[in-house]
């Protein structure tokens, strides 16, 4: 468990897919810009953020002084083919290695107490860092409650099993793992983000006897149908799956989404 006297500093690491892998680089950059807006809007400034990618988005010169871009060159962008399962493994290795490199980079500069891997198209509530700070005595924070935002329709759904669907669903104390001295091969598995699926993160922490907090607030938003979701191509690739998703989305639609969107930086 974290030392309660230690000042909370959250390290946010955002792995960004390469331009050569993106379906549309302009869309990828717009999605990232929205993600960074949700970070800039934080009411608690006890964080540092790094975006790790092969290619630097053109807007990045305007980012906050607490957000930086780190040029990734440890490995080339993944070469994908027709096999979706193999592609997923390549994407995941790329993503996890970027997360590790971001962790190494920030840990060399700042006294980070907790780590959060945030996908480059997801959003966080304006009180996300504040809430994490209030729960910082725990070894891990699991976000089982969150929102799904279907960008193409503007529909927002609640989820009470958020961590089963979204990778941006865990904050982990730096005291629970050792950062490797070098980045090579499978070294990304040294971090929980690279070694444990988000689906199993809570069970992993429980098995280790670590303390876990599960906020009642919905602090993370999984942005779907944004034009760059890798999971859409892999899992919603047939008409019946698409129909099922649409029906569920309409049934769970939230009323008064404007306030929710404001809290996540979608409306400014």
């Amino acid at each position: 468990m974290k030392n309660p006297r230690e000042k909370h500093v959250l390290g946010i690491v955002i792995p960004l897919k390469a331009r050569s892998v993106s379906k549309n680089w302009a869309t990828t950059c717009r999605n990232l810009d929205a993600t960074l807006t949700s970070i800039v809007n934080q009411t608690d400034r006890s964080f540092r953020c790094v975006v790790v990618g092969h290619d630097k988005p053109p807007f990045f010169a305007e980012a906050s002084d607490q957000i930086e871009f780190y040029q990734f060159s440890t490995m080339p962008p993944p070469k994908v083919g027709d096999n979706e399962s193999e592609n997923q493994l390549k994407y995941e290795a790329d993503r996890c290695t970027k997360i590790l490199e971001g962790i190494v980079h920030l840990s060399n500069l700042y006294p980070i107490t907790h780590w959060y891997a945030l996908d480059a198209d997801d959003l966080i509530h304006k009180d996300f860092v504040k809430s994490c700070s209030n729960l910082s005595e725990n070894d891990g924070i699991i976000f089982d409650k969150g929102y799904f935002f279907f960008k193409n329709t503007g529909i927002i759904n609640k989820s009470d099993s958020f961590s089963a669907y979204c990778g941006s669903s865990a904050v982990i104390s730096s005291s629970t793992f050792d950062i490797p001295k070098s980045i090579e091969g499978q070294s990304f598995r040294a971090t929980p983000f690279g070694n444990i699926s988000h689906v199993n993160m809570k069970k992993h922490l429980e098995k280790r006897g670590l303390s876990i907090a599960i906020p009642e607030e919905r602090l993370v938003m999984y942005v779907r149908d944004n034009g760059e979701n890798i999971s859409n191509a892999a899992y919603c690739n047939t008409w019946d799956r698409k129909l099922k998703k649409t029906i569920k989305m309409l049934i769970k639609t939230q009323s008064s989404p404007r306030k929710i969107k404001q809290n996540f930086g979608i409306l400014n």
Side-chain angles (χ1 to χ4, degrees), residues 191-203:
T191 78
F193 305 108
N195 193 43
I196 308 298
S197 166
H198 60 88
V199 177
N200 299 316
M201 188 66 77
K202 182 164 56 175
K203 289 182 179 179

Side-chain angles (χ1 to χ4, degrees), residues 27-40:
T27 298
T28 297
C29 291
R30 283 194 298 270
N31 292 338
L32 174 64
D33 196 19
T35 299
L36 297 183
T37 295
S38 75
I39 296 174
V40 170

Side-chain angles (χ1 to χ4, degrees), residues 110-131:
Y110 309 107
I112 304 296
T113 62
H114 290 74
W115 295 102
Y116 180 49
L118 175 62
D119 286 345
D121 50 6
D122 292 337
L123 309 173
I124 57 175
H125 190 284
K126 63 185 178 64
D127 291 330
F128 180 90
V129 175
K130 179 181 178 181
S131 297

Side-chain angles (χ1 to χ4, degrees), residues 238-249:
T238 62
W239 71 267
D240 55 323
R241 288 179 177 176
K242 291 177 181 178
L243 178 61
K244 185 177 181 181
K245 185 187 78 170
T246 301
I247 292 173
K248 285 184 176 180
M249 176 180 67

Side-chain angles (χ1 to χ4, degrees), residues 36-69:
L36 297 183
T37 295
S38 75
I39 296 174
V40 170
N41 289 345
Q42 292 301 297
T43 57
D44 186 324
R45 312 307 296 178
S46 58
F47 71 87
R48 289 287 172 174
C49 175
V50 62
V51 177
V52 183
H54 292 89
D55 308 287
K56 186 175 182 178
F59 67 82
F60 219 93
E62 302 174 7
S64 160
D65 59 359
Q66 288 182 270
I67 303 172
E68 62 180 293
F69 181 85

